[in-house]
Short mmCIF file of all heavy atoms in Angstrom, two decimals:
data_model
loop_
_atom_site.label_atom_id
_atom_site.label_comp_id
_atom_site.label_asym_id
_atom_site.label_seq_id
_atom_site.Cartn_x
_atom_site.Cartn_y
_atom_site.Cartn_z
N MET A 1 99.48 117.33 125.34
CA MET A 1 98.69 116.46 124.46
C MET A 1 99.55 116.12 123.25
O MET A 1 100.10 116.92 122.59
CB MET A 1 97.33 117.12 124.02
CG MET A 1 96.55 116.34 123.08
SD MET A 1 95.02 117.11 122.57
CE MET A 1 94.04 116.88 124.08
N GLU A 2 99.61 114.79 122.96
CA GLU A 2 100.43 114.33 121.81
C GLU A 2 99.50 114.20 120.59
O GLU A 2 98.36 113.73 120.68
CB GLU A 2 101.07 112.99 122.16
CG GLU A 2 102.11 113.11 123.20
CD GLU A 2 102.86 111.85 123.36
OE1 GLU A 2 103.17 111.16 122.40
OE2 GLU A 2 103.13 111.47 124.56
N PHE A 3 100.02 114.58 119.41
CA PHE A 3 99.26 114.57 118.20
C PHE A 3 99.77 113.54 117.19
O PHE A 3 99.21 113.44 116.14
CB PHE A 3 99.24 115.96 117.54
CG PHE A 3 98.57 116.99 118.39
CD1 PHE A 3 99.33 117.99 118.97
CD2 PHE A 3 97.22 116.93 118.60
CE1 PHE A 3 98.75 118.98 119.78
CE2 PHE A 3 96.62 117.92 119.41
CZ PHE A 3 97.36 118.90 120.02
N GLU A 4 100.83 112.81 117.58
CA GLU A 4 101.30 111.76 116.72
C GLU A 4 102.01 110.68 117.53
O GLU A 4 102.44 110.97 118.67
CB GLU A 4 102.26 112.36 115.67
CG GLU A 4 103.38 113.15 116.19
CD GLU A 4 104.18 113.86 115.17
OE1 GLU A 4 103.60 114.22 114.08
OE2 GLU A 4 105.36 114.12 115.34
N PHE A 5 102.13 109.52 116.93
CA PHE A 5 102.86 108.38 117.60
C PHE A 5 103.45 107.53 116.49
O PHE A 5 103.03 107.61 115.33
CB PHE A 5 101.89 107.62 118.52
CG PHE A 5 100.74 106.97 117.86
CD1 PHE A 5 100.81 105.64 117.38
CD2 PHE A 5 99.58 107.63 117.62
CE1 PHE A 5 99.75 104.99 116.77
CE2 PHE A 5 98.50 106.98 117.04
CZ PHE A 5 98.63 105.68 116.55
N LYS A 6 104.44 106.77 116.89
CA LYS A 6 105.09 105.80 115.99
C LYS A 6 104.43 104.44 116.05
O LYS A 6 104.05 104.02 117.18
CB LYS A 6 106.57 105.64 116.29
CG LYS A 6 107.40 106.79 115.83
CD LYS A 6 108.91 106.51 116.07
CE LYS A 6 109.72 107.67 115.65
NZ LYS A 6 111.13 107.44 115.89
N LEU A 7 104.23 103.83 114.97
CA LEU A 7 103.69 102.44 114.89
C LEU A 7 104.68 101.60 114.19
O LEU A 7 105.04 101.89 113.05
CB LEU A 7 102.31 102.53 114.13
CG LEU A 7 101.55 101.23 114.05
CD1 LEU A 7 101.10 100.76 115.43
CD2 LEU A 7 100.33 101.46 113.16
N GLU A 8 105.09 100.45 114.83
CA GLU A 8 106.00 99.53 114.18
C GLU A 8 105.24 98.47 113.48
O GLU A 8 104.30 97.85 114.05
CB GLU A 8 106.95 98.88 115.23
CG GLU A 8 107.97 98.00 114.62
CD GLU A 8 108.96 97.42 115.62
OE1 GLU A 8 109.02 97.89 116.76
OE2 GLU A 8 109.69 96.46 115.24
N ILE A 9 105.59 98.19 112.26
CA ILE A 9 104.95 97.17 111.46
C ILE A 9 105.40 95.81 111.89
O ILE A 9 106.64 95.54 111.99
CB ILE A 9 105.25 97.41 109.95
CG1 ILE A 9 104.91 98.82 109.48
CG2 ILE A 9 104.55 96.33 109.06
CD1 ILE A 9 103.45 99.17 109.69
N MET A 10 104.44 94.92 112.17
CA MET A 10 104.73 93.57 112.69
C MET A 10 104.75 92.53 111.59
O MET A 10 105.43 91.53 111.73
CB MET A 10 103.73 93.19 113.78
CG MET A 10 103.70 94.11 114.95
SD MET A 10 105.20 94.19 115.87
CE MET A 10 105.18 92.59 116.63
N ASN A 11 104.01 92.67 110.50
CA ASN A 11 103.96 91.78 109.39
C ASN A 11 104.19 92.52 108.08
O ASN A 11 103.69 93.63 107.92
CB ASN A 11 102.64 91.01 109.35
CG ASN A 11 102.39 90.16 110.57
OD1 ASN A 11 103.27 89.45 111.05
ND2 ASN A 11 101.24 90.32 111.15
N ASP A 12 104.84 91.85 107.14
CA ASP A 12 105.07 92.52 105.80
C ASP A 12 103.70 92.81 105.16
O ASP A 12 102.76 91.98 105.27
CB ASP A 12 105.80 91.57 104.85
CG ASP A 12 107.28 91.41 105.28
OD1 ASP A 12 107.73 92.20 106.13
OD2 ASP A 12 107.96 90.58 104.68
N CYS A 13 103.62 93.93 104.53
CA CYS A 13 102.42 94.28 103.71
C CYS A 13 103.01 94.86 102.44
O CYS A 13 103.06 96.11 102.31
CB CYS A 13 101.51 95.23 104.44
SG CYS A 13 100.03 95.53 103.50
N VAL A 14 103.40 93.99 101.54
CA VAL A 14 104.06 94.46 100.32
C VAL A 14 103.15 95.39 99.50
O VAL A 14 103.59 96.33 98.88
CB VAL A 14 104.52 93.26 99.45
CG1 VAL A 14 105.23 93.72 98.18
CG2 VAL A 14 105.48 92.43 100.31
N ALA A 15 101.79 95.12 99.52
CA ALA A 15 100.89 95.92 98.76
C ALA A 15 100.91 97.39 99.18
O ALA A 15 100.67 98.27 98.36
CB ALA A 15 99.47 95.37 98.92
N LEU A 16 101.18 97.62 100.43
CA LEU A 16 101.31 99.01 100.94
C LEU A 16 102.73 99.50 100.97
O LEU A 16 103.01 100.66 101.32
CB LEU A 16 100.71 99.08 102.34
CG LEU A 16 99.27 98.73 102.54
CD1 LEU A 16 98.87 98.81 103.98
CD2 LEU A 16 98.41 99.64 101.69
N GLY A 17 103.67 98.60 100.60
CA GLY A 17 105.08 98.97 100.61
C GLY A 17 105.72 99.02 101.99
O GLY A 17 106.68 99.68 102.26
N LEU A 18 105.10 98.29 102.97
CA LEU A 18 105.59 98.25 104.33
C LEU A 18 106.15 96.90 104.64
O LEU A 18 105.53 95.83 104.34
CB LEU A 18 104.43 98.57 105.33
CG LEU A 18 103.75 99.93 105.06
CD1 LEU A 18 102.48 99.98 105.94
CD2 LEU A 18 104.70 101.05 105.40
N LEU A 19 107.28 96.84 105.28
CA LEU A 19 107.96 95.63 105.63
C LEU A 19 108.03 95.46 107.19
O LEU A 19 108.09 96.56 107.89
CB LEU A 19 109.35 95.54 105.06
CG LEU A 19 109.41 95.62 103.55
CD1 LEU A 19 110.88 95.63 103.03
CD2 LEU A 19 108.65 94.47 102.93
N GLU A 20 108.15 94.26 107.70
CA GLU A 20 108.22 94.10 109.14
C GLU A 20 109.39 94.89 109.68
O GLU A 20 110.53 94.89 109.09
CB GLU A 20 108.44 92.59 109.47
CG GLU A 20 108.44 92.29 110.90
CD GLU A 20 108.45 90.79 111.24
OE1 GLU A 20 108.17 90.00 110.30
OE2 GLU A 20 108.80 90.48 112.33
N GLY A 21 109.19 95.58 110.76
CA GLY A 21 110.20 96.42 111.38
C GLY A 21 110.19 97.85 110.96
O GLY A 21 110.81 98.73 111.63
N ASP A 22 109.48 98.18 109.86
CA ASP A 22 109.33 99.54 109.42
C ASP A 22 108.54 100.33 110.50
O ASP A 22 107.73 99.74 111.26
CB ASP A 22 108.55 99.70 108.08
CG ASP A 22 109.35 99.29 106.92
OD1 ASP A 22 110.62 99.09 107.08
OD2 ASP A 22 108.79 99.21 105.82
N GLU A 23 108.76 101.58 110.64
CA GLU A 23 108.02 102.45 111.53
C GLU A 23 107.34 103.53 110.73
O GLU A 23 107.89 104.06 109.85
CB GLU A 23 108.93 103.11 112.60
CG GLU A 23 109.55 102.13 113.56
CD GLU A 23 110.41 102.83 114.66
OE1 GLU A 23 110.84 103.96 114.37
OE2 GLU A 23 110.63 102.20 115.67
N VAL A 24 106.06 103.76 111.11
CA VAL A 24 105.31 104.78 110.47
C VAL A 24 104.90 105.78 111.56
O VAL A 24 104.68 105.46 112.67
CB VAL A 24 104.05 104.30 109.69
CG1 VAL A 24 104.48 103.44 108.51
CG2 VAL A 24 103.14 103.46 110.61
N LEU A 25 104.86 107.08 111.14
CA LEU A 25 104.45 108.13 112.03
C LEU A 25 102.97 108.39 111.80
O LEU A 25 102.54 108.72 110.64
CB LEU A 25 105.26 109.39 111.77
CG LEU A 25 105.04 110.56 112.68
CD1 LEU A 25 105.50 110.11 114.14
CD2 LEU A 25 105.93 111.68 112.27
N VAL A 26 102.17 108.23 112.85
CA VAL A 26 100.69 108.38 112.68
C VAL A 26 100.27 109.66 113.37
O VAL A 26 100.58 109.96 114.52
CB VAL A 26 100.07 107.17 113.39
CG1 VAL A 26 98.50 107.31 113.32
CG2 VAL A 26 100.45 105.87 112.79
N SER A 27 99.47 110.48 112.63
CA SER A 27 98.94 111.72 113.12
C SER A 27 97.56 111.42 113.67
O SER A 27 96.80 110.77 113.08
CB SER A 27 98.86 112.79 112.00
OG SER A 27 98.15 113.89 112.46
N THR A 28 97.30 112.01 114.83
CA THR A 28 95.95 111.91 115.46
C THR A 28 95.09 113.10 115.03
O THR A 28 93.92 113.17 115.46
CB THR A 28 95.99 111.77 116.95
OG1 THR A 28 96.65 112.89 117.52
CG2 THR A 28 96.76 110.51 117.36
N VAL A 29 95.68 113.99 114.30
CA VAL A 29 94.95 115.25 113.88
C VAL A 29 94.46 115.16 112.47
O VAL A 29 93.29 115.47 112.15
CB VAL A 29 95.83 116.49 114.15
CG1 VAL A 29 95.10 117.75 113.64
CG2 VAL A 29 96.25 116.58 115.59
N GLU A 30 95.33 114.78 111.55
CA GLU A 30 94.99 114.73 110.14
C GLU A 30 94.06 113.59 109.89
O GLU A 30 94.21 112.46 110.38
CB GLU A 30 96.25 114.56 109.29
CG GLU A 30 97.16 115.75 109.38
CD GLU A 30 98.38 115.58 108.43
OE1 GLU A 30 98.18 115.15 107.29
OE2 GLU A 30 99.50 115.86 108.90
N LYS A 31 93.07 113.80 108.98
CA LYS A 31 92.10 112.80 108.61
C LYS A 31 92.52 112.29 107.22
O LYS A 31 92.80 113.06 106.32
CB LYS A 31 90.70 113.33 108.58
CG LYS A 31 90.22 113.79 109.93
CD LYS A 31 88.82 114.27 109.91
CE LYS A 31 88.36 114.73 111.25
NZ LYS A 31 86.97 115.25 111.23
N PRO A 32 92.49 110.93 107.05
CA PRO A 32 92.81 110.42 105.74
C PRO A 32 91.68 110.71 104.71
O PRO A 32 90.49 110.81 105.09
CB PRO A 32 92.88 108.91 105.96
CG PRO A 32 92.06 108.60 107.13
CD PRO A 32 92.18 109.90 108.03
N ARG A 33 92.03 110.95 103.50
CA ARG A 33 91.11 111.14 102.43
C ARG A 33 90.69 109.75 101.93
O ARG A 33 91.52 108.82 101.85
CB ARG A 33 91.65 112.00 101.30
CG ARG A 33 91.96 113.40 101.72
CD ARG A 33 92.75 114.11 100.71
NE ARG A 33 94.05 113.44 100.69
CZ ARG A 33 95.11 113.93 100.07
NH1 ARG A 33 95.08 114.93 99.37
NH2 ARG A 33 96.26 113.26 100.09
N SER A 34 89.43 109.58 101.48
CA SER A 34 88.99 108.22 101.06
C SER A 34 89.26 108.11 99.55
O SER A 34 88.43 107.71 98.76
CB SER A 34 87.47 108.11 101.31
OG SER A 34 86.74 109.12 100.60
N ASN A 35 90.52 108.32 99.21
CA ASN A 35 90.93 108.20 97.79
C ASN A 35 91.62 106.88 97.43
O ASN A 35 92.05 106.63 96.34
CB ASN A 35 91.91 109.37 97.43
CG ASN A 35 93.12 109.37 98.30
OD1 ASN A 35 93.44 108.45 99.04
ND2 ASN A 35 93.84 110.49 98.23
N GLY A 36 91.70 106.01 98.46
CA GLY A 36 92.35 104.67 98.25
C GLY A 36 93.87 104.77 98.30
O GLY A 36 94.55 103.74 98.16
N LYS A 37 94.42 105.99 98.48
CA LYS A 37 95.91 106.15 98.52
C LYS A 37 96.40 106.50 99.90
O LYS A 37 97.46 106.13 100.30
CB LYS A 37 96.32 107.22 97.56
CG LYS A 37 96.08 106.90 96.12
CD LYS A 37 96.47 108.03 95.21
CE LYS A 37 96.11 107.72 93.71
NZ LYS A 37 96.44 108.83 92.87
N ASP A 38 95.54 107.20 100.64
CA ASP A 38 95.92 107.54 102.06
C ASP A 38 95.80 106.30 102.93
O ASP A 38 94.95 105.45 102.73
CB ASP A 38 95.01 108.62 102.57
CG ASP A 38 95.40 110.02 102.09
OD1 ASP A 38 96.31 110.10 101.24
OD2 ASP A 38 94.73 111.00 102.51
N LEU A 39 96.68 106.20 103.92
CA LEU A 39 96.65 105.12 104.85
C LEU A 39 95.93 105.57 106.15
O LEU A 39 96.02 106.73 106.51
CB LEU A 39 98.07 104.62 105.19
CG LEU A 39 98.93 104.10 104.04
CD1 LEU A 39 100.28 103.71 104.57
CD2 LEU A 39 98.22 102.90 103.39
N ALA A 40 95.23 104.64 106.77
CA ALA A 40 94.54 104.92 108.03
C ALA A 40 94.85 103.84 109.02
O ALA A 40 95.13 102.68 108.62
CB ALA A 40 93.03 105.05 107.77
N VAL A 41 94.84 104.17 110.28
CA VAL A 41 95.06 103.21 111.37
C VAL A 41 93.68 102.93 112.04
O VAL A 41 92.99 103.87 112.38
CB VAL A 41 96.12 103.76 112.39
CG1 VAL A 41 96.23 102.77 113.51
CG2 VAL A 41 97.46 104.00 111.69
N PHE A 42 93.36 101.71 112.20
CA PHE A 42 92.14 101.27 112.82
C PHE A 42 92.44 100.39 114.02
O PHE A 42 93.44 99.65 114.01
CB PHE A 42 91.32 100.44 111.82
CG PHE A 42 90.99 101.15 110.54
CD1 PHE A 42 91.81 101.05 109.44
CD2 PHE A 42 89.93 101.98 110.46
CE1 PHE A 42 91.52 101.72 108.28
CE2 PHE A 42 89.61 102.68 109.31
CZ PHE A 42 90.46 102.55 108.21
N GLU A 43 91.58 100.52 115.02
CA GLU A 43 91.75 99.65 116.22
C GLU A 43 90.57 98.71 116.28
O GLU A 43 89.41 99.10 116.21
CB GLU A 43 91.84 100.46 117.52
CG GLU A 43 92.00 99.63 118.73
CD GLU A 43 92.19 100.38 119.99
OE1 GLU A 43 91.96 101.66 119.93
OE2 GLU A 43 92.46 99.81 121.02
N ALA A 44 90.85 97.41 116.37
CA ALA A 44 89.82 96.38 116.50
C ALA A 44 90.30 95.30 117.51
O ALA A 44 91.47 94.86 117.31
CB ALA A 44 89.51 95.78 115.18
N ALA A 45 89.49 94.94 118.43
CA ALA A 45 89.85 93.94 119.41
C ALA A 45 91.19 94.25 120.13
O ALA A 45 91.99 93.36 120.34
CB ALA A 45 89.89 92.57 118.77
N GLY A 46 91.42 95.55 120.35
CA GLY A 46 92.64 95.96 121.06
C GLY A 46 93.93 95.95 120.21
O GLY A 46 95.00 96.23 120.75
N GLU A 47 93.82 95.67 118.93
CA GLU A 47 95.01 95.66 118.08
C GLU A 47 94.87 96.74 116.98
O GLU A 47 93.78 97.00 116.50
CB GLU A 47 95.21 94.29 117.38
CG GLU A 47 95.50 93.21 118.37
CD GLU A 47 95.97 91.91 117.61
OE1 GLU A 47 96.34 92.02 116.43
OE2 GLU A 47 95.93 90.88 118.29
N LEU A 48 95.98 97.35 116.63
CA LEU A 48 96.00 98.39 115.60
C LEU A 48 96.32 97.77 114.29
O LEU A 48 97.18 96.93 114.17
CB LEU A 48 97.05 99.47 115.95
CG LEU A 48 96.82 100.28 117.18
CD1 LEU A 48 97.96 101.22 117.47
CD2 LEU A 48 95.48 101.00 117.10
N SER A 49 95.60 98.20 113.22
CA SER A 49 95.83 97.70 111.85
C SER A 49 95.98 98.94 110.99
O SER A 49 95.40 99.96 111.27
CB SER A 49 94.69 96.88 111.36
OG SER A 49 94.55 95.73 112.13
N ILE A 50 96.76 98.86 109.87
CA ILE A 50 96.95 99.93 108.96
C ILE A 50 96.51 99.46 107.62
O ILE A 50 96.72 98.29 107.21
CB ILE A 50 98.44 100.33 108.95
CG1 ILE A 50 98.60 101.64 108.18
CG2 ILE A 50 99.34 99.27 108.44
CD1 ILE A 50 99.89 102.36 108.34
N SER A 51 95.74 100.32 106.89
CA SER A 51 95.16 99.93 105.67
C SER A 51 94.95 101.16 104.77
O SER A 51 94.97 102.28 105.29
CB SER A 51 93.83 99.22 105.87
OG SER A 51 93.24 98.86 104.63
N THR A 52 94.69 100.99 103.51
CA THR A 52 94.27 102.10 102.68
C THR A 52 92.86 102.46 103.08
O THR A 52 92.12 101.57 103.58
CB THR A 52 94.31 101.75 101.14
OG1 THR A 52 93.54 100.58 100.93
CG2 THR A 52 95.70 101.53 100.70
N PHE A 53 92.57 103.70 102.91
CA PHE A 53 91.19 104.18 103.35
C PHE A 53 90.34 104.47 102.17
O PHE A 53 90.61 105.33 101.33
CB PHE A 53 91.42 105.46 104.23
CG PHE A 53 90.10 105.96 104.78
CD1 PHE A 53 89.45 105.28 105.76
CD2 PHE A 53 89.59 107.20 104.32
CE1 PHE A 53 88.28 105.75 106.31
CE2 PHE A 53 88.45 107.68 104.90
CZ PHE A 53 87.80 106.99 105.88
N THR A 54 89.24 103.74 102.07
CA THR A 54 88.19 104.01 101.07
C THR A 54 86.84 103.94 101.70
O THR A 54 86.65 103.37 102.78
CB THR A 54 88.31 102.94 99.90
OG1 THR A 54 88.08 101.64 100.49
CG2 THR A 54 89.60 103.02 99.18
N ARG A 55 85.92 104.46 101.08
CA ARG A 55 84.47 104.40 101.59
C ARG A 55 83.70 103.51 100.78
O ARG A 55 83.88 103.22 99.69
CB ARG A 55 83.86 105.82 101.58
CG ARG A 55 84.51 106.70 102.55
CD ARG A 55 83.81 108.03 102.65
NE ARG A 55 84.61 108.88 103.51
CZ ARG A 55 84.13 109.65 104.42
NH1 ARG A 55 82.82 109.74 104.60
NH2 ARG A 55 84.91 110.35 105.23
#
C-alpha cells in the first residue's frame, strides 16, 4: 500500500509559491490542518487540484 505520491504542477500558482513543472510530494495519511497554511489536494471531475485548506 502506498502512502504518498508525486504530483506535477501544470499551471503556475504564484500565491502558493508553485511553478509549472514543480513536483510536490502528497501524503495520503497526513491530514491538512485548516489553518490556511497547509496545502490539500482535491479531486473534482477527475482532475486533481491543490489549494490552501480552510474551513
Side-chain angles (χ1 to χ4, degrees):
M1 180 180 281
E2 293 187 40
F3 297 110
E4 57 189 27
F5 62 94
K6 284 185 182 179
L7 181 65
E8 184 177 346
I9 304 302
M10 299 297 288
N11 297 312
D12 289 351
C13 185
V14 180
L16 298 178
L18 301 171
L19 302 175
E20 185 173 343
D22 285 352
E23 292 182 340
V24 293
L25 188 60
V26 179
S27 170
T28 59
V29 177
E30 294 183 45
K31 294 182 181 179
R33 294 170 292 192
S34 60
N35 58 11
K37 296 178 183 176
D38 282 3
L39 299 178
V41 175
F42 302 94
E43 182 176 6
E47 292 192 21
L48 297 175
S49 297
I50 190 166
S51 179
T52 55
F53 183 67
T54 59
R55 289 185 188 221

